[in-house]
Amino acid sequence: MTPIFTSLLETDLYKFSMWQAMLHRHPATQARYRFVCRNQTAFPLAELVSELEREIEALCALSFRADELAYLRTLRYLSPDFIDFLRIFRFQKDFVRIGTDGPNLSISVDGPQVHVMAFEIFVLAIVNELYFRRVAGPDALGEGRRRLAAKIERLREFATEPPRRHPFRFFDFGLRRRFSGAWHREVLTTLKQELPEFFTGTSNVLLARELELVPIGTMAHEYLQTFQGLGVRLRDHQKAALEAWVQEYRGDLGTALTDVVGMDAFLSDFDLYFAKLFDGIRHDSGDPYVWGEKALAHYAKLRIDPATKRLVFSDALDIDRCLNLYRHFADRTQCGFGIGTHLSNDTGLRTLNIVMKLVSVNGQPVAKISDAPGKTMCDDEGFLAYLRQVFGVPGN
């Protein structure tokens, strides 16, 4: 059977952007990532071990092709030396540990961060596709196509509404939890053909290239979390991460993620300097309306016109949530909507809630304190309590 992945280009754009930043500034950093499934599954994921092992072996045999590197060179924010690094890069199987914990699937990745950080997207997408090969019935794709058609019709109805100050734009963030690679491609091809006025891009770099879409993405939680273990004062790790990003990209990729230690703690660090330098901020947990109002109030306090900034929403979105948020904010600020599972895995089947998160850097624990309690993740309760204390974040 053909491996699920046949190209290393098929990952999220923010993996490349974070990868380059870490290679340039902290190439010796050691990191550990751990897989977690947060919900009940139709069968024990431990049954996937042998298939997953084969897929990882195939992944480790891949390298970037000349035409793929040529495409990456067209992205002005990726530097020539980083492209040269990718030219010789290969995943190393020795850095991956796959096993079982009773009925559960156990996956961890340990090693130099610049050699292991890219595993995450591939591992999650592989587990998803292996899982849905087993649980999907013969009508799954038929149901997926019916639901996709309904989404398109819903957006065509929306297009008849009076225009607001800023346009409605959405993009695909669904690679890691997709039903399958083939279905992902079909969804994006259909959206490009049917809704070109609304659908603007994808985080999937390979499909962005092949379908002539804009590759979209900036940073993920792991980037800011990494700075918790890099020797800067813990209270200053967000500012250190944002400053490193500004120096690396100098105006490109200007959307900052806000919920590594919660929105309130983020805004306390997001001063006039950063608020002017970044084009906008991204929501990924907590009440999006509360978050958005806090963001606009913060810009107003800094005397920055919110119409010049952008709020990007990316937490468990569906079409109706996007439209409601757009109606609420679009006359005051620019909006963008990154939709994941609702695009790439909406076939009527219960989806997996799986993540593969950074849990330690240079032998020290790191944590994410999400604005949604279920998304908080840390292997060390003592460190988590200390992080809460440092940033004044109450426990849940």
Side-chain angles (χ1 to χ4, degrees):
M1 183 177 290
T2 302
I4 291 172
F5 282 100
T6 58
S7 169
L8 293 183
L9 200 62
E10 192 163 20
T11 190
D12 283 335
L13 178 67
Y14 67 21
K15 279 297 176 181
F16 289 112
S17 58
M18 294 186 294
W19 202 351
Q20 175 174 289
M22 297 313 298
L23 180 68
H24 284 166
R25 282 163 172 76
H26 302 283
T29 299
Q30 297 288 310
R32 181 173 187 266
Y33 294 77
R34 181 170 61 86
F35 172 88
V36 175
C37 180
R38 294 169 170 159
N39 63 342
Q40 193 69 31
T41 58
F43 63 87
L45 292 186
E47 295 179 12
L48 297 177
V49 165
S50 60
E51 295 169 86
L52 178 59
E53 290 272 9
R54 287 195 296 272
E55 292 291 341
I56 296 299
E57 290 281 0
L59 181 69
C60 291
L62 296 176
S63 58
F64 285 95
R65 300 190 297 268
D67 61 305
E68 295 171 337
L69 297 173
Y71 172 75
L72 291 175
R73 288 190 186 96
T74 69
L75 306 180
R76 68 181 186 184
Y77 40 81
L78 297 184
S79 65
D81 67 299
F82 176 57
I83 304 299
D84 287 339
F85 168 80
L86 295 180
R87 183 171 59 85
I88 60 175
F89 174 79
R90 294 279 287 267
F91 280 117
Q92 303 299 314
K93 181 68 162 54
D94 290 346
F95 293 138
V96 185
R97 298 288 181 271
I98 300 172
T100 61
D101 179 13
N104 302 315
L105 183 61
S106 172
I107 310 170
S108 64
V109 181
D110 297 84
Q113 191 169 31
V114 294
H115 287 279
V116 302
M117 63 188 298
F119 269 111
E120 176 200 1
I121 304 300
F122 294 102
V123 168
L124 294 176
I126 288 168
V127 171
N128 261 289
E129 186 151 349
L130 292 176
Y131 178 81
F132 285 102
R133 283 177 181 176
R134 292 197 183 194
V135 302
D139 193 43
L141 288 182
E143 179 62 19
R145 293 183 182 107
R146 286 190 288 272
R147 293 181 179 219
L148 180 58
K151 295 178 181 71
I152 292 168
E153 183 57 31
R154 181 74 187 87
L155 285 166
R156 286 176 175 161
E157 291 173 3
F158 162 75
T160 65
E161 294 183 12
R164 297 180 183 266
R165 182 177 181 182
H166 300 286
F168 176 77
R169 298 288 184 267
F170 77 99
F171 27 88
D172 160 61
F173 277 1
L175 196 166
R176 70 186 61 203
R177 294 175 185 162
R178 66 190 184 185
F179 177 84
S180 70
W183 175 239
H184 196 192
R185 183 184 299 273
E186 180 177 336
V187 169
L188 299 197
T189 300
T190 302
L191 290 173
K192 181 187 177 183
Q193 293 171 347
E194 300 295 331
L195 296 169
E197 70 275 33
F198 296 137
F199 181 63
T200 58
T202 176
S203 64
N204 184 325
V205 181
L206 179 70
L207 293 185
R209 176 198 179 197
E210 294 184 355
L211 301 178
E212 298 183 336
L213 294 166
V214 177
I216 293 176
T218 55
M219 66 182 72
H221 300 96
E222 67 179 290
Y223 173 73
L224 289 102
Q225 285 178 266
T226 295
F227 282 76
Q228 296 171 9
L230 292 183
V232 300
R233 194 173 69 134
L234 186 59
R235 182 60 186 82
D236 296 331
H237 85 273
Q238 288 191 115
K239 290 183 283 188
L242 295 175
E243 179 64 26
W245 194 268
V246 167
Q247 296 302 320
E248 179 69 30
Y249 291 110
R250 308 190 68 81
D252 273 320
L253 303 177
T255 302
L257 182 61
T258 64
D259 71 330
V260 170
V261 286
M263 180 60 162
D264 293 339
F266 174 84
L267 291 179
S268 71
D269 289 338
F270 198 65
D271 59 13
L272 181 63
Y273 171 75
F274 289 125
K276 282 188 171 182
L277 290 175
F278 281 88
D279 299 321
I281 55 179
R282 177 163 74 92
H283 170 267
D284 199 51
S285 66
D287 187 315
Y289 295 95
V290 172
W291 175 89
E293 293 297 342
K294 285 182 178 181
L296 296 186
H298 187 69
Y299 282 127
K301 179 182 176 182
L302 297 175
R303 299 182 181 178
I304 293 175
D305 181 359
T308 66
K309 298 299 179 179
R310 194 177 201 213
L311 303 185
V312 177
F313 298 89
S314 62
D315 180 32
L317 295 178
D318 59 27
I319 295 299
D320 284 334
R321 289 192 190 100
C322 292
L323 295 180
N324 289 334
L325 286 164
Y326 172 79
R327 295 182 186 108
H328 186 84
F329 289 109
D331 285 329
R332 292 181 284 165
T333 188
Q334 302 170 52
C335 298
F337 302 93
I339 308 178
T341 307
H342 186 63
L343 290 183
S344 66
N345 202 347
D346 186 17
T347 63
L349 298 168
R350 187 183 184 192
T351 56
L352 293 179
N353 186 354
I354 56 176
V355 294
M356 191 163 183
K357 291 298 185 182
L358 180 67
V359 293
S360 72
V361 169
N362 293 332
Q364 302 178 58
V366 299
K368 178 182 78 166
I369 304 176
S370 172
D371 285 317
K375 286 190 170 185
T376 295
M377 187 169 179
C378 182
D379 281 353
D380 188 313
E381 290 297 325
F383 176 75
L384 183 60
Y386 177 55
L387 186 63
R388 288 188 186 280
Q389 180 183 10
V390 166
F391 282 93
V393 181
N396 295 303

